[in-house]
Amino acid sequence: MHLLVLLYVDDMIITGDNEVEISMLKNELSVRFEMKNLGEVGCFLSLEVEKSDQGYFISQKRYAEELLQHFGMGGSKEKATPMEPHLKLMKNEGQELKDAGKFRQLVGSLIYLTTTRPEIAYSVGVISQFMQNPRTSHLDAAKRILRYFKGTTNYDLLYKKESSFLLKGYTDPDWAGNANDRRSTSGYYFSVGSAAISWCSKKQPTVALSSTEAEYMAATMATQECVWLKHLMGDISGAVDYAVQIQCDNESAVRLAANPVFHARTKHIEVRHHYIREKVLDREIELKGISTLDQVADIFTKALGKAKF
């Protein structure tokens, strides 16, 4: 893994990529600021970092175990997935909870766990929609996520030592998947080399009238994230001078993004969602087709069965 230090001194960005330069930077900072060397990072804000020959492992094992004990789920039965497949939670289904505060505390804790556990992003996103008036069915769904953690507390994110650090992404929606308002859920995932660096599961702001429109809206959201990541990587390690590939499993959406004329039946799509066309034509991104079976972002848009999960 290429070691890079990024420091801000007097509004200037200074980078160092070897031990000599890093030592010089530390000396420069120690003159201006009071500093203490705490050694290599091991745990920071419940994020546990472990260095190995393969690379770096990042997890929240201890935090997940504490959650299980805090909410009385330490002896519960394990589950293979964080959410029951095809589950549709309704706003008014089940009895109202007497202690809504406990539910909100649980959901808030699970949201923090998505920092290192991208596979629960969809499940946590679903239950977080019921924070205002939670019911027993919503609490059961939240507890299932804890039962999933019961057997997977040792899962980590692995950042391997790689020679190639190309930025690549995946995007996918679940068309009209929300049973309450029929809005779709967008999901995207970006990686650099072996490393997962950005992911998201979010309900779309408007109702999509077709699966193509839902895919197109999801791809636009992924494109916005991609442009931001390109700027960030440019500030840290140099300009990203290639078209970033974003994988999409809907051919109509791919053609719509590449061909400005192909819009006879999509004129109703909001102008802001055509942002992706400009980026494709400028060759900042490349929207490519992919098989649904190889779609990584599928896990951010729906509750999958055990085998596919």
Side-chain angles (χ1 to χ4, degrees):
M1 177 177 287
H2 182 68
L3 181 62
L4 181 78
V5 171
L6 178 65
L7 300 172
Y8 292 86
V9 181
D10 290 347
D11 297 325
M12 295 186 301
I13 299 177
I14 303 175
T15 61
D17 59 1
N18 59 56
E19 293 185 4
V20 175
E21 291 183 16
I22 293 172
S23 178
M24 292 174 62
L25 291 172
K26 288 180 178 178
N27 292 335
E28 175 70 17
L29 284 176
S30 63
V31 173
R32 308 188 185 198
F33 307 100
E34 183 178 348
M35 296 181 61
K36 181 184 294 185
N37 185 0
L38 300 178
E40 289 193 9
V41 62
C43 184
F44 178 73
L45 297 177
S46 85
L47 301 180
E48 300 172 47
V49 182
E50 181 181 349
K51 185 178 180 180
S52 72
D53 294 336
Q54 293 178 275
Y56 289 86
F57 291 91
I58 299 181
S59 67
Q60 291 172 289
K61 298 177 185 177
R62 193 177 308 167
Y63 183 74
E65 291 171 352
E66 290 174 355
L67 273 187
L68 288 169
Q69 299 302 323
H70 180 75
F71 291 99
M73 302 293 288
S76 60
K77 186 177 179 180
E78 300 173 6
K79 288 291 184 181
T81 60
M83 179 170 279
E84 182 182 343
H86 311 298
L87 177 67
K88 301 294 183 183
L89 293 176
M90 305 298 294
K91 287 184 178 180
N92 301 319
E93 183 180 27
Q95 297 180 348
E96 291 189 20
L97 295 178
K98 295 180 180 179
D99 185 8
K102 185 176 182 180
F103 174 82
R104 293 169 185 144
Q105 183 185 10
L106 172 56
V107 174
S109 300
L110 290 173
I111 289 174
Y112 189 58
L113 269 175
T114 61
T115 305
T116 58
R117 300 297 294 269
E119 79 274 23
I120 68 166
Y122 171 75
S123 305
V124 174
V126 170
I127 62 172
S128 65
Q129 298 174 29
F130 306 102
M131 298 277 272
Q132 184 174 0
N133 187 27
R135 295 176 178 265
T136 53
S137 58
H138 309 148
L139 180 60
D140 291 341
K143 286 183 175 180
R144 182 185 172 101
I145 301 176
L146 286 179
R147 295 171 70 181
Y148 165 73
F149 273 111
K150 181 69 166 54
T152 62
T153 52
N154 62 333
Y155 281 15
D156 307 85
L157 284 179
L158 171 60
Y159 294 81
K160 293 181 181 178
K161 298 179 180 178
E162 299 277 358
S163 57
S164 175
F165 285 90
L166 291 179
L167 178 63
K168 184 171 69 172
Y170 296 83
T171 178
D172 192 46
D174 179 31
W175 180 40
N178 191 294
N180 294 289
D181 53 20
R182 286 305 174 187
R183 294 185 184 181
S184 308
T185 300
S186 295
Y188 64 71
Y189 163 90
F190 285 94
S191 63
V192 176
S194 69
I197 62 168
S198 179
W199 54 86
C200 179
S201 177
K202 185 178 181 181
K203 189 166 70 169
Q204 294 181 355
T206 58
V207 177
L209 300 183
S210 67
S211 59
T212 297
E213 183 176 340
E215 293 272 2
Y216 194 64
M217 291 166 65
T220 300
M221 188 175 76
T223 300
Q224 293 172 319
E225 178 70 7
C226 179
V227 170
W228 181 81
L229 288 172
K230 289 182 69 172
H231 287 309
L232 178 64
M233 293 178 64
D235 289 339
I236 296 176
S237 58
V240 179
D241 56 358
Y242 54 87
V244 177
Q245 287 190 4
I246 300 179
Q247 311 282 357
C248 172
D249 61 8
N250 186 286
E251 287 298 328
S252 296
V254 173
R255 292 197 297 269
L256 181 60
N259 185 3
V261 181
F262 186 73
H263 61 78
R265 290 178 294 178
T266 55
K267 291 181 180 179
H268 57 275
I269 298 178
E270 292 185 40
V271 174
R272 65 190 181 94
H273 295 305
H274 292 301
Y275 170 81
I276 186 174
R277 283 182 178 170
E278 180 180 320
K279 298 305 176 183
V280 170
L281 294 175
D282 290 344
R283 297 184 179 179
E284 287 195 41
I285 71 159
E286 180 183 4
L287 195 62
K288 296 196 66 176
I290 188 177
S291 168
T292 302
L293 297 176
D294 299 323
Q295 179 55 273
V296 177
D298 202 30
I299 199 171
F300 299 106
T301 63
K302 59 183 70 71
L304 302 177
K306 180 180 178 180
K308 193 170 185 180
F309 182 82

